Amino acid sequence: DPDAGLVSGQEGVVVVDAPHGYRNLLLKLVHGYKWILRHRDVGYFLRTDVDCILPLNELVHLTAAVGSEGGRLVAQRWDGELCDSNVMGRQHEDSVLACQTRCSTNPGCTYFSMQGVPGLCWLHLDCESRRSMPGTTTFEYSVRRALNARPAPGKAAQDDGNVFVLGTILERNEVLLDDHHNPQWNSGAVASELGLTHYPPYPEATGYAFPALLARFLTGLPDGLFWRTGTVEDALMGILLAGLQ
């Protein structure tokens, strides 16, 4: 990077030797993760773009809380039942993840239900009572408890061994082939070599957190093997993670 000298030597900044260029972003990250894992004792990583501002105090607490929940943002509670109290809204959604996203962006939502997939997405303030509704699955948005709790001052996040990605997860995005406004996003190789018309769900690069275990997975290829490059880094992360449980 021709501008690396502007930050080299500054406190809290590490400059690693990695290929330059937009389509090498994943390799840059892998080199950075390797350095951090080698020189620091860390539990979690937060990846974000340089022009994004994130609420770090909230994220440190929230990341640890999600880890303690087994790495799950949601918990499946009841099959064939729908919360019968404090309905906050309903609308058609294509997937459970889309319904979860709808709940996550509503500050009062603690439970959501999917009546078929695709089907009706129900949002609930609570679930004090339920009624029978065949074909419906109700979930608790578990992370809401952590969002509403205040972190203990100075409490550091620890890796509890659970694997998760905490952030905005994009799904069913078409593989870009002919974007003239942002040609660097085009991913012809994903279509031609992998036969994909849509990217697997992937974390949006504006900011996402994950445990060190995932960083070790990304940096653990044996000599002679390399991750695929040449496509958008965040979408590529979705491809790499798609085979993991």
Side-chain angles (χ1 to χ4, degrees), residues 42-62:
V42 296
Y44 298 98
F45 285 78
L46 175 64
R47 179 260 183 264
T48 186
D49 285 341
V50 69
D51 56 353
C52 294
I53 299 175
L54 301 178
L56 292 181
N57 288 337
E58 293 283 345
L59 281 171
V60 168
H61 163 67
L62 187 56

Side-chain angles (χ1 to χ4, degrees), residues 4-234:
L6 298 177
V7 295
S8 182
Q10 292 188 23
E11 184 178 359
V13 175
V14 173
V15 178
V16 296
D17 184 12
H20 185 49
Y22 184 83
R23 291 180 175 271
N24 290 315
L25 286 180
L26 180 68
L27 292 181
K28 288 188 176 186
L29 290 173
V30 167
H31 280 72
Y33 298 156
K34 280 184 177 180
W35 189 96
I36 294 171
L37 289 170
R38 188 178 301 121
H39 295 91
R40 297 290 187 269
D41 181 18
V42 296
Y44 298 98
F45 285 78
L46 175 64
R47 179 260 183 264
T48 186
D49 285 341
V50 69
D51 56 353
C52 294
I53 299 175
L54 301 178
L56 292 181
N57 288 337
E58 293 283 345
L59 281 171
V60 168
H61 163 67
L62 187 56
T63 301
V66 172
S68 67
E69 288 279 351
R72 294 189 177 274
L73 292 174
V74 302
Q76 183 173 326
R77 294 305 188 195
W78 303 283
D79 283 323
E81 291 186 299
L82 177 72
C83 296
D84 200 25
S85 58
N86 291 318
V87 177
M88 304 180 69
R90 65 176 183 174
Q91 69 180 68
H92 189 276
E93 295 291 356
D94 289 333
S95 66
V96 173
L97 181 58
C99 189
Q100 173 186 324
T101 301
R102 185 74 57 185
C103 180
S104 73
T105 57
N106 188 318
C109 180
T110 58
Y111 290 86
F112 65 92
S113 305
M114 276 297 291
Q115 187 179 356
V117 179
L120 276 179
C121 166
W122 300 69
L123 305 184
H124 306 273
L125 180 65
D126 56 47
C127 201
E128 295 179 354
S129 61
R130 304 186 303 276
R131 59 186 169 96
S132 176
M133 181 70 73
T136 299
T137 303
T138 295
F139 303 83
E140 180 183 5
Y141 187 58
S142 308
V143 76
R144 187 69 67 195
R145 293 194 302 273
L147 283 167
N148 292 333
R150 302 269 60 85
K155 183 178 180 181
Q158 297 296 321
D159 183 358
D160 294 316
N162 297 305
V163 179
F164 62 90
V165 176
L166 174 63
T168 299
I169 307 300
L170 306 178
E171 67 164 353
R172 304 192 182 189
N173 280 9
E174 292 186 4
V175 173
L176 297 177
L177 301 175
D178 196 26
D179 189 325
H180 298 294
H181 297 288
N182 295 284
Q184 71 275 15
W185 292 353
N186 291 327
S187 305
V190 172
S192 62
E193 297 176 16
L194 301 182
L196 298 178
T197 58
H198 292 74
Y199 299 111
Y202 63 88
E204 190 177 49
T206 48
Y208 58 88
F210 56 95
L213 182 61
L214 270 186
R216 287 193 287 271
F217 162 71
L218 293 171
T219 61
L221 287 181
D223 292 342
L225 292 182
F226 307 93
W227 290 122
R228 172 186 297 275
T229 58
T231 191
V232 187
E233 170 258 324
D234 49 0

